[in-house]
Amino acid sequence: MEEEFLKVCRGEEEADLLLLGGLVVNVFTGEIAEHAVAVHGGRIAGFGERPAREVLDLKGAFLCPGFIDGHVHIESSMVTLPEFARAVVPRGTTAVVTDYHEIANVLGTEGLRYMMDLAEGLPLDALIMLPSCVPATPMETSGAVLEVEDLLPLREAPSVIGLGEMMNFPGVVHGDPSVMAKLEAFAGLPVDGHAPGLRGKELDAYLAAGVESDHECVDPEEAREKLEKGMYVYIREGSTAKNLESLLPLVDSRSADRFLLVTDDKQPEDLLVNGHLDAVLRRAVALGMDPVTALRLVTLSPARRFRLPGRGGIAPGWWADLVVLEDLRDFRALKVFKRGKLVAEKGEYLEPHRQGPPAPGAMKIAWERIPSLEIPAGGGRMRVIGVIPDQIVTESLLETPRVEKGLVLTDTERDILKACVFERHRGTGNLGMGMVRGMGLREGALASTVAHDSHNLVVVGVDDRDILLAARRVEAMGGGQVAVRGGEVIAELPLDVAGLMSTLPLEEVAARVRALREAAARLGCPLREPFMALSFLALPVIPELKMTDRGLFDVGSFRHVALFAD
Amino acid sequence: MEEEFLKVCRGEEEADLLLLGGLVVNVFTGEIAEHAVAVHGGRIAGFGERPAREVLDLKGAFLCPGFIDGHVHIESSMVTLPEFARAVVPRGTTAVVTDYHEIANVLGTEGLRYMMDLAEGLPLDALIMLPSCVPATPMETSGAVLEVEDLLPLREAPSVIGLGEMMNFPGVVHGDPSVMAKLEAFAGLPVDGHAPGLRGKELDAYLAAGVESDHECVDPEEAREKLEKGMYVYIREGSTAKNLESLLPLVDSRSADRFLLVTDDKQPEDLLVNGHLDAVLRRAVALGMDPVTALRLVTLSPARRFRLPGRGGIAPGWWADLVVLEDLRDFRALKVFKRGKLVAEKGEYLEPHRQGPPAPGAMKIAWERIPSLEIPAGGGRMRVIGVIPDQIVTESLLETPRVEKGLVLTDTERDILKACVFERHRGTGNLGMGMVRGMGLREGALASTVAHDSHNLVVVGVDDRDILLAARRVEAMGGGQVAVRGGEVIAELPLDVAGLMSTLPLEEVAARVRALREAAARLGCPLREPFMALSFLALPVIPELKMTDRGLFDVGSFRHVALFAD
């Protein structure tokens, strides 16, 4: 602590800034009281009036610590980190704890370095839980494999604070050596979990191995068990998964400091229209949560859980990450300070707008190894992936194929379309092909490089020409999403950062996502989120039948299966 | 985590122990519910029945995490660490966070090493906050000086967890370089404070410099300010300082996790008769605190504050430090488990009794430089230390001396006795001599090597022969406390560990402390705690007039002063 700062604390030298007339939300005591707050050198110098170069009257507005999202994947916003910051900082978020699981699956440590470099100089701290499960599964080809040896050098980076969501819970429960090596390497640091539905003795084993948190609770009884067993429960309220209403009754005065409010995944339009943690806070209070408790769950609770010194509260010496709120119902941020600097005002971002550069090298499709998209007919019935609206699980159907000249054809009458997954990371030429029902296209094709968790290129279409055009167009953009009809691209979103994020502004990305959704509807797709359905077609850890770059995968029997069942 | 342990968690192999029928006090949820708890390899393997080699029915007793005293000085117990463990473990304490401030002032790092070695193999974890203020003051001669360079090598020891109470708060507030160097060296680790009465802007500066806690709050308003400013408030309920009743109203459901219950200093008889944290819990509940909240303040709260992984709760993978309580009113420990091993039952300690060895080298008085205890008469009135019953502050009096043959004599008629402080650490031959009123001896002398904070040898007596005998006897014991009358030792307590602790059993120490007190009373002393008064005669940071090995010290003017005032 420099001498000058102590002088300012003692009131002997001028502070940079004195905030007067604010109602300080004290997350330590749970009380709200008017205090003058002095800020100097990016930190809180103290409570009470002091000489200052600048004095700002908050006129009875609420002064809170900046919000901390304890679990969010930046990639889901589909924009680069600076653009994400532009979206969330004016909403009051000054730090996120993020797990770059998606970009790591595509670009490995290079992707992590890309994100870490982008974080420099932003008014948003991006604190990193290193991805623990790259690849997420061995059933498909990912862009990278991160073993403990790959993680160890990154562990020392200043922004790295722990090990990210350990979704390989069977591996933990059964003591898989490569998983255990990672847990051991991060012993003593925060370790996040991901264990939907895991309970009882298996949960005990998962926790005994060192996992400390879960953000996948949907059911309150499951959450209660996890809470009782010492886990931090992150209540997730994202664009898709919304668990707040279900879990909120568990939060009482005795257990409140074991909970966090997090977003996990926020889609571009949702971020733009509804906001970030401010939206979660609004919802929590609308559902009856005490506002100061709700604020604590996005300030002091994450700061303590992740052992982030000097964050999550307003106290002498702590970082002056501050939000001025109009009220504790709408949580509209009138002003946001990052390390004492005014960085947003009335929703407007005051920092320079900048984009991340593209992250190329994410599209390596070995076309020379892919002679055609034809599927030769086999005997009997074929397996068809059955998409269920608004769900990420699928059905495994058996259908009689439409066959012409010995080839399996799509059949729009029965809504049986072709689904292809092109391996895009390593130029293996892997191409998984099969049939899908439920996407509803009557013409054209949809393609996307966002396809959890390995993010290969997934395309669903009515005819091979449009499927190929969609795939080629996505490749030309360096990754992305397209809708194609009759040999023409009718909507597209370049995702030139690893095929996951765009270097376009958030507004433009949101508009294009909307345009893509509308285009899909015009092609006949009845789903509300056609590209999300596309994305989850390729996720081989969620039941029942999925498509990977290595072909169909039956989750129930946990093995790849042939197209023809008989 | 070894494979075998995970198998036990999963219920596939036998646990060491299954505890059935206990009401588990869940400090995460605040609830109490019956659960079977499996223990294996010293850790909790999980909740729910499992195969086990040994099954124990708790028959409806309460099962709690072992208690953690977040701030205690072992030296105040006057026994060695193994003996302290024998006293507190059967009371339910399984870990202490301790600051070896006293022994460090006598023996420096050698004293720390002595305590660390003794901790090996005990059923009590002694986690160390390194002494930050040795010497406590420059006004007297201590046995050691610990600068940041001395602390740094110790910081890496497994039992060292942070920096102990930073009592030099003026040094912090004003940015003293040697103090700041220590704070910097421990940045990121827990740093404890000690700042009685510090408030406002000076408190802001103290906190800004990195101090995180205080255990010196007496006044609730002061505690509230410290709480509001993000400090952890340790509510102290020791043998002398009792702040629970005053501070308890501050603990509510919103602030509870910012508080700890600690003992700070527990004297031998108090430990023996009333107990340790169990006594504090009894008192807290008697004063109206919810029992589970009270338990949390001695389990999860200290564990989180000091970032002690796997402690403070009953959860899979956490250490099986457990207390079985008869009820939540008397907090009588029926059984205590340390890392899964039964170490105490119905108050009986089941571990081997062992003593620490003496820690010699703590008595280096240069008698050859001390020709006599004669005080030559000066002109006019002399300064006399005025002892105030039950207080550690003294008065500064002015009295006309009784003089014979040019020498100042004691005067039992006016209760003016001789007070000597012999430097005992370095053989300097320093001897501070003066007069004291209020000790009330009509004959004989009392001597002690417990004399905060430098712990020189302090003796008060009626005649030089008894004073010398007392000093010599203490020296011969390697430190201690004695009462002497007419050339005979009438009571004594050897403190052969640095002159602070005894290698005798606690019961014997408590009996001798009582005998010394009774002996003092027989000599005429009216004080309830004559040896405590003796101890604080030499503490030159508490007003008003004190005796050091370098002579009288006037705290108000903060300088050494001559015996004769005129």
Side-chain angles (χ1 to χ4, degrees):
Chain A
M1 188 64 47
E2 64 285 15
E3 211 178 314
E4 180 196 285
F5 189 78
L6 290 181
K7 282 189 182 158
V8 173
C9 292
R10 301 197 304 263
E12 294 164 12
E13 280 198 8
E14 279 192 333
D16 292 339
L17 174 66
L18 184 70
L19 299 171
L20 284 180
L23 295 172
V24 173
V25 177
N26 193 309
V27 290
F28 307 111
T29 63
E31 289 171 2
I32 295 173
E34 189 176 328
H35 283 291
V37 174
V39 173
H40 191 76
R43 294 177 183 265
I44 308 292
F47 285 6
E49 295 204 18
R50 273 172 178 77
R53 269 184 287 284
E54 191 191 341
V55 177
L56 194 63
D57 187 349
L58 299 181
K59 297 175 181 168
F62 294 88
L63 185 64
C64 302
F67 308 154
I68 304 170
D69 191 341
H71 186 75
V72 59
H73 301 283
I74 306 292
E75 296 96 322
S76 301
S77 71
M78 300 177 111
V79 291
T80 60
L81 187 52
E83 197 63 12
F84 178 83
R86 181 169 75 86
V88 305
V89 169
R91 302 286 194 158
T93 304
T94 55
V96 293
V97 177
T98 184
D99 177 351
Y100 295 130
H101 173 76
E102 314 302 346
I103 196 169
N105 261 289
V106 177
L107 297 178
T109 53
E110 204 181 305
L112 295 173
R113 295 278 181 203
Y114 169 91
M115 296 300 274
M116 285 158 90
D117 289 347
L118 270 185
E120 291 295 319
L122 291 181
L124 176 80
D125 297 320
L127 304 162
I128 301 170
M129 299 289 276
L130 286 177
S132 64
C133 299
V134 176
T137 73
M139 290 82 79
E140 47 178 350
T141 306
S142 68
V145 176
L146 296 185
E147 296 291 355
V148 66
E149 305 79 51
D150 305 300
L151 299 180
L152 279 174
L154 292 162
R155 191 183 56 179
E156 311 310 323
S159 55
V160 169
I161 60 170
L163 187 64
E165 50 179 312
M166 181 47 84
M167 51 187 85
N168 183 3
F169 54 85
V172 176
V173 169
H174 294 281
D176 176 296
S178 89
V179 171
M180 300 316 267
K182 288 177 184 173
L183 289 171
E184 203 166 297
F186 286 81
L189 294 177
V191 174
D192 273 342
H194 164 120
L198 194 68
R199 303 192 61 173
K201 295 184 174 59
E202 297 210 318
L203 177 60
D204 293 347
Y206 186 65
L207 300 183
V211 180
E212 301 169 312
S213 70
D214 189 58
H215 61 274
E216 292 287 335
C217 290
V218 174
D219 170 50
E221 274 317 300
E222 178 188 340
R224 174 182 299 278
E225 180 181 347
K226 286 176 170 169
L227 182 69
E228 279 175 355
K229 289 181 171 173
M231 290 188 102
Y232 294 99
V233 174
Y234 305 169
I235 300 179
R236 174 177 54 180
E237 188 78 358
S239 294
T240 309
K242 294 186 185 294
N243 310 131
L244 185 55
E245 186 164 10
S246 159
L247 302 184
L248 186 131
L250 285 179
V251 183
D252 64 27
S253 61
R254 294 171 304 180
S255 64
D257 67 317
R258 309 299 298 174
F259 288 97
L260 276 62
L261 295 176
V262 305
T263 63
D264 199 4
D265 297 290
K266 271 279 195 180
Q267 291 158 20
E269 200 170 0
D270 187 19
L271 264 185
L272 197 63
V273 175
N274 303 310
H276 186 227
L277 288 172
D278 57 325
V280 183
L281 289 166
R282 266 192 299 280
R283 178 98 178 112
V285 170
L287 287 168
M289 189 181 273
D290 160 64
V292 179
T293 300
L295 281 167
R296 195 172 175 169
L297 266 52
V298 298
T299 56
L300 191 60
S301 283
R304 290 198 78 192
R305 183 276 173 272
F306 291 106
R307 296 175 230 155
L308 307 175
R311 294 170 197 267
I314 302 179
W318 293 34
W319 292 114
D321 291 0
L322 299 169
V323 191
V324 180
L325 295 173
E326 196 166 32
D327 58 41
L328 302 186
R329 192 189 63 226
D330 290 336
F331 294 95
R332 200 165 83 93
L334 299 175
K335 292 177 196 298
V336 181
F337 296 89
K338 180 66 187 175
R339 302 206 170 184
K341 184 184 179 194
L342 185 67
V343 291
E345 193 157 20
K346 291 185 182 165
E348 194 188 338
Y349 189 63
L350 304 179
E351 293 286 281
H353 295 214
R354 62 178 169 97
Q355 296 300 327
M363 294 304 298
K364 289 186 198 135
I365 299 176
W367 290 108
E368 68 280 8
R369 299 193 189 173
I370 301 173
S372 85
L373 304 185
E374 289 175 352
I375 302 176
R381 289 181 307 169
M382 62 179 182
R383 294 185 170 90
V384 172
I385 302 170
V387 170
I388 306 172
D390 296 331
Q391 294 204 34
I392 64 175
V393 297
T394 59
E395 291 173 292
S396 179
L397 310 173
L398 285 176
E399 297 289 339
T400 306
R402 184 165 81 96
V403 175
E404 247 177 48
K405 296 180 188 165
L407 298 176
V408 177
L409 300 186
T410 61
D411 182 350
T412 52
E413 291 304 303
R414 291 191 291 156
D415 184 19
I416 296 179
L417 309 179
K418 193 175 278 186
C420 304
V421 172
F422 298 83
E423 192 280 315
R424 71 164 171 114
H425 305 298
R426 303 174 179 208
T428 57
N430 286 357
L431 169 58
M433 286 196 291
M435 310 305 277
V436 61
R437 167 178 286 169
M439 291 298 293
L441 304 186
R442 306 198 62 84
E443 52 181 337
L446 304 176
S448 175
T449 48
V450 178
H452 298 281
D453 280 325
S454 289
H455 300 295
N456 283 305
L457 168 58
V458 58
V459 193
V460 168
V462 177
D463 68 85
D464 290 359
R465 194 186 57 152
D466 280 351
I467 290 174
L468 271 176
L469 171 61
R472 290 285 195 175
R473 181 60 197 154
V474 163
E475 184 189 34
M477 294 191 298
Q481 297 182 328
V482 298
V484 163
R485 177 171 57 189
E488 259 183 69
V489 173
I490 58 170
E492 69 178 20
L493 168 63
L495 297 171
D496 46 349
V497 177
L500 299 172
M501 291 166 278
S502 178
T503 54
L504 294 171
L506 178 64
E507 293 81 355
E508 177 70 17
V509 170
R512 284 174 180 245
V513 166
R514 200 161 45 238
L516 279 163
R517 198 163 46 219
E518 289 163 4
R522 286 201 304 278
L523 295 178
C525 181
L527 302 172
R528 287 195 303 176
E529 295 285 356
F531 283 85
M532 191 168 292
L534 211 58
S535 163
F536 285 111
L537 273 190
L539 179 61
V541 293
I542 305 288
E544 191 51 59
L545 188 64
K546 300 282 180 167
M547 180 60 73
T548 76
D549 66 301
R550 298 183 202 156
L552 279 172
F553 189 79
D554 183 75
V555 181
S557 61
F558 219 70
R559 59 184 180 91
H560 285 95
V561 290
L563 179 59
F564 285 90
D566 307 313
Chain B
M1 188 62 49
E2 63 287 15
E3 213 178 312
E4 180 196 286
F5 189 78
L6 290 180
K7 282 188 183 157
V8 173
C9 292
R10 300 196 304 263
E12 294 165 12
E13 281 198 7
E14 279 192 333
D16 291 339
L17 175 66
L18 184 69
L19 300 170
L20 284 180
L23 295 172
V24 173
V25 177
N26 193 308
V27 291
F28 308 112
T29 63
E31 289 170 0
I32 296 173
E34 189 176 329
H35 283 291
V37 175
V39 173
H40 191 75
R43 294 176 183 266
I44 307 292
F47 286 4
E49 294 203 17
R50 276 173 178 76
R53 268 184 287 285
E54 190 191 342
V55 177
L56 195 63
D57 187 349
L58 299 182
K59 299 176 181 170
F62 295 88
L63 186 62
C64 302
F67 309 153
I68 304 169
D69 191 341
H71 186 75
V72 59
H73 301 283
I74 306 292
E75 296 96 323
S76 300
S77 72
M78 298 177 113
V79 290
T80 61
L81 188 51
E83 197 62 12
F84 178 83
R86 181 170 75 84
V88 304
V89 168
R91 302 285 194 160
T93 303
T94 55
V96 294
V97 177
T98 184
D99 178 350
Y100 294 131
H101 173 75
E102 313 303 345
I103 195 169
N105 261 289
V106 176
L107 296 178
T109 53
E110 203 182 306
L112 295 173
R113 296 279 181 202
Y114 168 89
M115 295 301 272
M116 286 157 88
D117 289 347
L118 270 186
E120 291 295 319
L122 291 181
L124 176 80
D125 296 319
L127 304 161
I128 301 169
M129 300 289 276
L130 287 176
S132 63
C133 300
V134 176
T137 71
M139 289 82 79
E140 46 178 349
T141 306
S142 67
V145 176
L146 295 185
E147 296 290 356
V148 65
E149 304 79 51
D150 304 302
L151 299 180
L152 279 175
L154 293 163
R155 191 184 56 179
E156 311 309 324
S159 56
V160 169
I161 60 170
L163 187 65
E165 51 178 313
M166 181 47 84
M167 51 188 82
N168 183 2
F169 54 85
V172 176
V173 169
H174 294 281
D176 177 294
S178 89
V179 171
M180 300 317 264
K182 288 177 184 173
L183 290 172
E184 203 167 297
F186 286 81
L189 293 176
V191 174
D192 274 343
H194 165 119
L198 195 68
R199 302 192 61 172
K201 294 183 174 58
E202 297 209 319
L203 177 60
D204 292 347
Y206 186 65
L207 299 183
V211 180
E212 301 169 312
S213 69
D214 190 58
H215 62 274
E216 291 286 337
C217 290
V218 174
D219 170 50
E221 273 316 300
E222 177 188 340
R224 174 182 299 277
E225 180 181 346
K226 287 176 169 169
L227 183 69
E228 278 175 355
K229 289 180 172 175
M231 289 188 103
Y232 295 99
V233 174
Y234 305 169
I235 300 178
R236 174 177 52 181
E237 187 79 357
S239 293
T240 309
K242 294 186 185 293
N243 310 131
L244 185 56
E245 186 163 11
S246 159
L247 302 183
L248 185 130
L250 286 178
V251 183
D252 64 25
S253 60
R254 295 171 304 181
S255 63
D257 66 317
R258 310 300 297 175
F259 288 98
L260 276 62
L261 295 176
V262 306
T263 64
D264 199 2
D265 297 291
K266 271 278 193 180
Q267 291 158 21
E269 200 170 0
D270 187 20
L271 264 185
L272 196 64
V273 175
N274 303 311
H276 185 228
L277 288 172
D278 57 325
V280 183
L281 290 166
R282 265 193 299 281
R283 178 97 178 112
V285 170
L287 287 168
M289 189 182 273
D290 160 63
V292 179
T293 301
L295 281 168
R296 195 172 175 168
L297 266 52
V298 298
T299 56
L300 191 60
S301 283
R304 290 198 77 191
R305 183 275 173 274
F306 292 106
R307 296 177 229 151
L308 307 174
R311 294 171 197 266
I314 302 178
W318 293 35
W319 291 113
D321 292 0
L322 300 168
V323 191
V324 179
L325 296 172
E326 196 164 33
D327 58 41
L328 301 187
R329 192 190 62 229
D330 290 336
F331 294 95
R332 201 165 82 94
L334 300 175
K335 292 178 196 296
V336 181
F337 295 90
K338 181 64 187 177
R339 303 207 169 182
K341 184 184 180 194
L342 185 68
V343 291
E345 193 158 20
K346 292 185 182 165
E348 195 189 337
Y349 189 63
L350 305 178
E351 292 286 282
H353 294 215
R354 61 178 168 100
Q355 297 300 328
M363 294 305 297
K364 289 187 197 132
I365 300 176
W367 291 108
E368 67 280 7
R369 301 192 187 175
I370 301 174
S372 85
L373 303 185
E374 290 175 353
I375 301 177
R381 291 181 305 169
M382 62 180 181
R383 294 185 169 88
V384 172
I385 301 171
V387 170
I388 305 172
D390 295 331
Q391 293 205 34
I392 63 176
V393 297
T394 58
E395 291 175 291
S396 179
L397 310 173
L398 284 176
E399 297 290 339
T400 306
R402 183 163 83 95
V403 176
E404 247 176 47
K405 298 181 186 164
L407 298 176
V408 178
L409 300 186
T410 61
D411 184 351
T412 52
E413 292 302 305
R414 291 190 290 156
D415 185 20
I416 295 179
L417 308 180
K418 193 175 279 187
C420 303
V421 174
F422 297 83
E423 193 280 315
R424 70 162 171 116
H425 306 298
R426 305 174 178 208
T428 57
N430 285 358
L431 169 58
M433 287 196 291
M435 309 306 276
V436 61
R437 165 177 286 169
M439 291 299 292
L441 302 186
R442 305 197 63 86
E443 52 183 333
L446 304 177
S448 175
T449 47
V450 178
H452 297 281
D453 282 324
S454 290
H455 301 295
N456 283 305
L457 168 58
V458 58
V459 194
V460 167
V462 178
D463 67 88
D464 291 358
R465 193 185 59 149
D466 280 349
I467 289 174
L468 270 176
L469 170 62
R472 291 285 195 176
R473 179 63 195 152
V474 164
E475 184 190 34
M477 295 191 295
Q481 297 182 329
V482 299
V484 162
R485 178 171 57 187
E488 259 184 69
V489 174
I490 59 170
E492 69 179 18
L493 168 62
L495 297 171
D496 46 349
V497 178
L500 299 171
M501 290 165 280
S502 177
T503 54
L504 293 171
L506 177 65
E507 293 80 355
E508 177 70 19
V509 171
R512 284 174 180 245
V513 166
R514 202 163 42 240
L516 280 163
R517 199 164 45 220
E518 288 162 6
R522 286 202 303 278
L523 296 178
C525 180
L527 301 174
R528 287 196 303 174
E529 296 285 354
F531 284 84
M532 191 168 294
L534 213 56
S535 163
F536 286 110
L537 272 190
L539 179 62
V541 293
I542 305 287
E544 189 55 56
L545 187 64
K546 300 283 180 166
M547 180 59 73
T548 76
D549 65 299
R550 300 185 201 155
L552 278 173
F553 188 78
D554 182 75
V555 182
S557 62
F558 219 72
R559 58 186 180 88
H560 286 95
V561 290
L563 178 60
F564 285 89
D566 306 313

